[in-house]
Amino acid sequence: MEKREKFSSRIGFILISAGCAIGIGNVWRFPFVTGQYGGAAFVLVYLFFLFALGLPIMVMEFSVGRASQKSIATSFQTLEPEGTKWHWYSYFGMAGNYLLMMFYTTVAGWMISYFFKMLKGDFVGKNPKQVEAVFGELLSKPEVLIFWMLVVIIVGFLICSLGLQNGVEKITTVMMSCLFVVILVLVIRAVTLPGASKGLAFYLVPDFQAMKEQGIMKVVSAAMGQAFFTLSLGIGAIAIFGSYIDRSYRLTGEAVSVAVLDTLVALMSGLIIFPACFAFGVRPDSGPNLVFITLPNVFNEMPGARIWGALFFLFMSFAALSTIIAVFQNIISFAQDLWGWTVKKASVFNGILITILSLPCALGFNVWSHIMPFGANSTIQDLEDFIVSNNILPLGSLVYLLFCVTKYGWGWKNFSEEANAGKGIKYPEWTRKYVTFILPLIVIFIFIQGYIDKFK
């Protein structure tokens, strides 16, 4: 078995963990959910839950990873008390990683495809109906979707096959640095558009009346769900990076850094999208269509449309690829931990496996579009997303939570010792009752509410 690699720097660990959390959810889901639930008022509720719910569970995932020095494939087995069955969850956690990649690879392919479309000027001179038709045409061509999906899979596994330090750490660090530069440039452009101030007011000035109209519980539930979705908690995708770091720093401080970077990207995405939409009189709450139909129309109205559009989709591609590389790294580590495979062997095997597993999503928009798991207009992607986001993420987070706080699992003493090894922010002892008794109930509420929202 190969010796377990370590990150060469702390900044590498923080950027890669943030890269895992920063994904399409920040740019695609966050703005349209914010648009739907009343702007700034929703953002405040979301920020509260991100740190009240997401942060403690992220520290727990990191702790399990660092203490076990393993991926989710064997981490519970390493730490669980003798005779207990916590490791049974490992199979669901591993399945969650594969399921996430079964649709994420296709969506990431859309981003890269749109980057090149913008660069080539495919949208120049098109009216809104024609812009909408471009997305429809992309989805209708299985060979095009599969081509871009393959590009994503090959790039992702090539980077991972170079190893943790030489591949994942080096390339993700550069990619994340570029992501922040690109997003900053786009924010400056968006907020200086004529008429952008209305969008800024909507986004930055809380409107509690709009929140009331939507229903307080609905807004709270959406904010909780988004806080969960954005950090990719519950499937060991964050825990794996805990297994690659030493005990120099306490894990609460590291989790805060990751959560802050993740939130920064989500908030800055809003600073691009809302001012731009309001400047050109476009509604910012149009769901996933926001990225592929609404924003290309908005860029068309701007001077230098090709440049701004290409930069936006470059940013989107980096956000998607950073998550894909992080989850691919986790998937590769399963084979290393379970069977002692080399990185190269695990990369080739999983590259082929994920290509096959990703086909149903790509074909679900065309050849298999008759398969509608949730009724009219639903797709195979909706089913895959539902299994991961509404089931495995909340239930997996509950498993990590109970494993770290109950005496039947790893236990509070072991968890807090691991979390507090090193220097930095200490995990507060006073939160023990909250994370033991209240937080599990909130996670169960999110799980149940997800079903209510889906099937009402």
Side-chain angles (χ1 to χ4, degrees):
M1 190 178 283
E2 292 181 338
K3 188 179 183 299
R4 195 167 198 81
E5 266 196 280
K6 296 285 178 199
F7 285 118
S8 64
S9 66
R10 183 184 176 211
I11 190 73
F13 158 70
I14 290 170
L15 282 175
I16 292 162
S17 301
C20 180
I22 293 165
I24 297 162
N26 296 64
V27 195
W28 169 351
R29 205 166 181 263
F30 179 77
F32 86 69
V33 173
T34 303
Q36 202 177 343
Y37 292 108
F42 173 82
V43 174
L44 291 174
V45 180
Y46 162 75
L47 289 174
F48 170 76
F49 283 117
L50 186 79
F51 287 92
L53 301 182
L55 197 68
I57 297 170
M58 186 185 280
V59 177
M60 288 168 189
E61 268 208 40
F62 277 147
S63 300
V64 169
R66 191 167 72 173
S68 66
Q69 293 291 291
K70 296 279 187 281
S71 69
I72 194 171
T74 54
S75 57
F76 287 105
Q77 216 154 359
T78 307
L79 302 177
E80 69 187 2
E82 214 174 313
T84 58
K85 300 285 187 278
W86 292 92
H87 63 274
W88 285 5
Y89 175 68
S90 301
Y91 303 108
F92 295 98
M94 287 190 283
N97 284 269
Y98 282 103
L99 263 164
L100 181 62
M101 291 298 100
M102 280 164 68
F103 65 89
Y104 218 95
T105 48
T106 299
V107 178
W110 299 348
M111 304 300 172
I112 298 172
S113 156
Y114 260 59
F115 166 66
F116 286 105
K117 282 181 189 296
M118 280 289 176
L119 221 48
K120 290 190 330 223
D122 284 5
F123 297 99
V124 175
K126 283 191 163 53
N127 64 36
K129 273 272 171 261
Q130 290 168 322
V131 168
E132 192 172 342
V134 172
F135 188 49
E137 190 187 355
L138 174 71
L139 295 186
S140 70
K141 292 184 173 171
E143 68 284 1
V144 177
L145 291 186
I146 291 167
F147 169 77
W148 289 112
M149 177 197 89
L150 281 171
V151 168
V152 168
I153 293 170
I154 291 165
V155 168
F157 278 113
L158 266 179
I159 291 167
C160 291
S161 71
L162 297 171
L164 183 74
Q165 282 187 21
N166 291 326
V168 176
E169 185 174 358
K170 266 187 188 164
I171 291 163
T172 307
T173 302
V174 171
M175 204 161 66
M176 292 298 289
S177 306
C178 292
L179 183 148
F180 281 104
V181 172
V182 171
I183 199 170
L184 202 58
V185 171
L186 286 166
V187 167
I188 292 165
R189 180 66 202 114
V191 299
T192 53
L193 285 167
S197 55
K198 280 184 187 168
L200 285 170
F202 173 78
Y203 188 45
L204 300 175
V205 180
D207 178 2
F208 294 105
Q209 190 50 43
M211 198 167 138
K212 251 186 182 168
E213 283 163 21
Q214 283 289 342
I216 303 292
M217 276 319 291
K218 207 172 173 187
V219 175
V220 165
S221 165
M224 283 179 176
Q226 179 62 23
F228 244 69
F229 184 91
T230 189
L231 294 175
S232 310
L233 298 170
I235 55 172
I238 287 289
I240 186 63
F241 300 116
S243 77
Y244 295 131
I245 51 166
D246 58 29
R247 303 181 91 203
S248 305
Y249 290 92
R250 288 174 176 158
L251 293 169
T252 305
E254 309 301 79
V256 167
S257 301
V258 172
V260 166
L261 284 180
D262 177 77
T263 306
L264 201 61
V265 171
L267 294 175
M268 287 170 84
S269 302
L271 286 175
I272 299 167
I273 289 165
F274 292 109
C277 285
F278 275 80
F280 299 109
V282 175
R283 284 179 63 81
D285 61 351
S286 53
N289 286 349
L290 177 74
V291 171
F292 299 103
I293 296 167
T294 306
L295 288 178
N297 278 315
V298 168
F299 293 130
N300 259 356
E301 301 286 330
M302 290 162 67
R306 276 165 76 165
I307 297 165
W308 300 114
L311 275 177
F312 179 78
F313 283 100
L314 180 67
F315 156 51
M316 289 296 285
S317 300
F318 283 158
L321 281 169
S322 65
T323 300
I324 280 167
I325 292 164
V327 179
F328 279 2
Q329 180 62 29
N330 199 23
I331 284 170
I332 286 168
S333 70
F334 300 160
Q336 291 177 291
D337 290 348
L338 288 168
W339 306 305
W341 286 8
T342 63
V343 172
K344 298 270 191 296
K345 185 179 177 182
S347 299
V348 172
F349 172 79
N350 280 296
I352 295 165
L353 181 60
I354 284 179
T355 299
I356 295 163
L357 291 174
S358 298
L359 289 173
C361 175
L363 298 174
F365 295 98
N366 36 73
V367 183
W368 292 349
S369 60
H370 59 280
I371 300 172
M372 297 185 239
F374 299 115
N377 300 321
S378 65
T379 61
I380 291 168
Q381 184 201 351
D382 294 322
L383 176 63
E384 292 169 344
D385 186 13
F386 174 74
I387 295 169
V388 177
S389 304
N390 293 61
N391 294 276
I392 299 178
L393 294 184
L395 293 177
S397 296
L398 189 62
V399 170
Y400 271 105
L401 182 52
L402 296 175
F403 184 65
C404 289
V405 300
T406 66
K407 61 182 180 185
Y408 306 105
W410 189 34
W412 178 267
K413 184 174 176 289
N414 290 325
F415 156 65
S416 57
E417 272 175 18
E418 185 60 51
N420 292 325
K423 56 187 179 182
I425 302 170
K426 200 167 185 233
Y427 193 88
E429 184 67 31
W430 59 264
T431 63
R432 184 174 178 176
K433 279 193 166 60
Y434 163 69
V435 295
T436 306
F437 301 109
I438 299 169
L439 193 48
L441 295 175
I442 296 173
V443 177
I444 292 165
F445 167 78
I446 290 170
F447 172 68
I448 295 167
Q449 192 61 42
Y451 267 81
I452 292 167
D453 290 345
K454 189 76 184 172
F455 299 110
K456 64 188 173 190

